[in-house]
Amino acid sequence: MQLLGGFETALSWWNLFYCLVGVTVGMLVGVLPGLGPATATALLIPITFGMDPISAIIMLAGIYYGGMYGGTITSVLINTPGEAASVITCLDGYPLAKQGRAGVALGVAAIGSFIGGTISIIGLAFIGPALAEWALKFGPPEFFALMLFGLVMVVGLMGRSLIRGLIAAFLGLILSLVGLDPVSGAQRFTFGQPFLLEGFDIVTITMGLFGISEILLGMESMYKTGELPKVKGLLPRRDEWKPTMKAIGRGTALGFVSGLVPGTSSTIPALLSYSLERQIAKDKSRFGKGAIEGVAGPETANNAYCGSALIPLFTLGIPSSPTIAILLGAFIMHGLTPGPTLFMENPNFVWAIIASMFIGNLILLIMNLPLAGMWAKVALVPPKLLYPIILLITVLGAYSINNSLWDVGVMYAFGIIGYFMKKLDIPMAPVVLTIVLSKLMETSLTQSMTIFEGNMFAFFQRPISATLIVLSIVVLIFSVFAEVKNKKSALAGDIEM
């Protein structure tokens, strides 16, 4: 019944309009190489200041899952991924396009994305309330242990190097300490600057790290332009339906489970799905040459990830990716606190967002199947026209946060930092996630120490917090061993050469 009430709210003409705007912008940023959902969401948050919270989050969520659809189009047609998760689609999507089957690749991707996205939203609708009810049993010690687990997962899973992941997480930890102490109110790392009393704004940091850095990199190497292959015949052959649907089913399961794990990204389930499809295939040589399962599985997985990644946000208040962290900032900005009480205190809001995602997925399916060729032409816009527009939007967006040029300067400073981080192959996602998680973790730790009267071992006297801390230690140990193994393998390879 609550979901029906959510549909009633989501189907109002203004919320339908904002849903359409969100998924359209998401498609656009997915198609444009170098941009991504995190950048677009951060850029558009300032526009939502005066909006109704439901409409604002409907639009921002639409950008998030819409970006996953858009990235597929350029991956298939011009071998240029619009966002990170679509890199895997290039492996078999572009070869299919060269065989004259671009329409089939796009059709399968759109169908898989719709199925995976819809099933993950159903999972959110059913699992979310139950998980939220269970999370009501959490006290400060359990929340601290949960944040610690999320922080360890961020470091362990982001990037190809544990050392680089730790560097990024350490940077995020330092940035989170700037401002007033949440308990004593003492100033920390403000250097007498009133602008730093409230700390760094997460939206400003994200706009710089993800948006400005991409523009700087893009200016170094302008994107190629060329002819687009024709899009015709959107459905696979009769004998291809069975393997395609099996790949979609496996991709849905992988994507959904991956979204529940803090610290992952949509790239991970896409990569896992492609690896799985290749491993179980009778003829592995087809992959990389136009295997339809190599498109269906990963595209389904990254869209299934989107819906399930909202479950930790809605029920526990934990962001599982940079874009979700930005959404968390939007929630707080509109006076909403994600966590166990969200379903009870704001049921109209929660169910309207869930219902809008069903509607948005249907809109995206309609937009993708007949209009794929039109969207791909957007990717051929010359960068010399595109970049000035994006820079103007970023300046206006950063300034409108607090009507201050300070935020504009901070954004550009972090844009330069992000540029060098990308050059050095240091992942940026742990910076954003650590800023969000560490602030929550500090508050929970302080409250826990007050409850335990300074006894750290009391964390292990509570089953949930003890289990989560032990899991954090196990993940960290495995990450260290994996790093050592990778270093040894790389060293052995260098010796052989």
Side-chain angles (χ1 to χ4, degrees):
M1 290 299 293
Q2 288 179 311
L3 183 58
L4 291 176
F7 272 107
E8 184 179 354
T9 303
L11 287 171
S12 61
W13 71 266
W14 59 91
N15 284 332
L16 276 175
F17 170 74
Y18 285 118
C19 182
L20 179 61
V21 170
V23 297
T24 302
V25 172
M27 280 283 296
L28 183 63
V29 299
V31 165
L32 292 172
L35 291 178
T39 306
T41 307
L43 292 177
L44 291 183
I45 279 183
I47 298 175
T48 69
F49 281 165
M51 291 172 56
D52 177 75
I54 293 177
S55 301
I57 302 301
I58 282 176
M59 185 178 76
L60 296 174
I63 296 170
Y64 170 52
Y65 56 86
M68 296 300 169
Y69 277 79
T72 309
I73 295 174
T74 49
S75 297
V76 171
L77 296 183
I78 57 176
N79 202 29
T80 305
E83 44 87 35
S86 297
V87 172
I88 312 299
T89 309
C90 291
L91 299 177
D92 283 285
Y94 187 61
L96 279 169
K98 290 199 293 185
Q99 296 168 18
R101 306 193 70 202
V104 174
L106 292 173
V108 165
I111 293 169
S113 297
F114 175 75
I115 293 173
T118 302
I119 291 177
S120 71
I121 299 165
I122 293 172
L124 170 61
F126 280 94
I127 295 175
L131 186 60
E133 188 174 342
W134 173 70
L136 285 171
K137 301 175 183 177
F138 279 31
E142 286 76 19
F143 270 109
F144 168 76
L146 188 63
M147 300 300 167
L148 179 64
F149 178 69
L151 201 59
V152 170
M153 293 297 290
V154 166
V155 175
L157 293 176
M158 288 291 184
R160 291 174 290 179
S161 166
L162 178 62
I163 300 299
R164 290 189 177 97
L166 284 170
I167 291 172
F170 185 68
L171 175 59
L173 184 62
I174 292 174
L175 293 172
S176 71
L177 294 175
V178 176
L180 298 177
D181 183 283
V183 178
S184 67
Q187 295 185 26
R188 302 185 303 194
F189 304 108
T190 59
F191 304 102
Q193 294 293 326
F195 297 109
L196 292 175
L197 289 176
E198 296 182 5
F200 288 107
D201 187 271
I202 187 67
V203 177
T204 307
I205 291 175
T206 308
M207 289 169 68
L209 287 177
F210 289 91
I212 301 300
S213 64
E214 284 292 348
I215 294 172
L216 293 175
L217 284 172
M219 290 170 67
E220 289 184 353
S221 55
M222 297 301 183
Y223 306 121
K224 298 180 292 184
T225 59
E227 293 293 324
L228 294 174
K230 292 182 179 179
V231 178
K232 55 183 179 180
L234 297 171
L235 300 178
R237 296 189 295 263
R238 183 178 299 178
D239 61 309
E240 292 176 327
W241 273 107
K242 186 175 180 180
T244 297
M245 295 310 295
K246 285 184 176 180
I248 288 173
R250 289 185 288 264
T252 299
L254 280 171
F256 187 82
V257 173
S258 298
L260 298 175
V261 181
T264 57
S265 69
S266 56
T267 309
I268 292 174
L271 181 59
L272 290 175
S273 175
Y274 188 84
S275 301
L276 177 62
E277 295 306 322
R278 192 174 184 279
Q279 287 297 320
I280 65 177
K282 293 181 180 179
D283 183 9
K284 295 181 176 60
S285 64
R286 295 186 303 110
F287 285 79
K289 299 177 183 177
I292 200 162
E293 305 98 298
V295 175
E299 281 300 316
T300 303
N302 65 37
N303 281 273
Y305 167 88
C306 290
S308 64
L310 291 174
I311 295 176
L313 176 67
F314 279 20
T315 59
L316 303 172
I318 295 180
S320 53
S321 72
T323 313
I324 299 295
I326 297 166
L327 278 176
L328 173 61
F331 273 63
I332 295 170
M333 188 185 77
H334 285 281
L336 299 161
T337 305
T341 59
L342 186 65
F343 278 86
M344 292 191 307
E345 294 179 356
N346 297 282
N348 293 336
F349 168 82
V350 173
W351 291 107
I353 302 302
I354 294 174
S356 76
M357 293 178 69
F358 282 107
I359 298 166
N361 266 282
L362 183 59
I363 293 172
L364 284 165
L365 180 66
I366 296 169
M367 289 171 65
N368 268 263
L369 288 177
L371 302 176
M374 181 198 74
W375 283 107
K377 291 178 181 177
V378 176
L380 303 180
V381 174
K384 63 183 179 181
L385 298 178
L386 184 64
Y387 290 148
I389 296 172
I390 297 174
L391 281 171
L392 178 61
I393 293 172
T394 58
V395 171
L396 292 174
Y399 181 79
S400 63
I401 292 172
N402 294 306
N403 293 326
S404 170
L405 288 174
W406 166 264
D407 291 316
V408 178
V410 169
M411 178 188 67
Y412 278 108
F414 278 100
I416 295 170
I417 292 171
Y419 170 81
F420 285 108
M421 287 178 70
K422 288 183 177 180
K423 286 288 187 180
L424 297 171
D425 198 24
I426 297 175
M428 293 186 297
V431 178
V432 177
L433 293 171
T434 305
I435 291 172
V436 175
L437 291 176
S438 57
K439 286 184 177 181
L440 300 172
M441 191 166 70
E442 181 184 11
T443 302
S444 300
L445 177 61
T446 306
Q447 293 171 342
S448 299
M449 288 294 95
T450 303
I451 295 170
F452 296 150
E453 298 180 348
N455 181 15
M456 289 288 291
F457 293 100
F459 281 105
F460 294 95
Q461 296 172 2
R462 300 169 71 114
I464 297 176
S465 61
T467 302
L468 288 169
I469 291 173
V470 170
L471 283 174
S472 301
I473 295 171
V474 170
V475 170
L476 193 58
I477 291 172
F478 271 105
S479 298
V480 172
F481 274 115
E483 177 73 5
V484 172
K485 185 178 178 181
N486 290 336
K487 292 292 183 185
K488 286 183 178 179
S489 299
L491 184 62
D494 291 338
I495 292 173
E496 289 177 6
M497 290 179 66

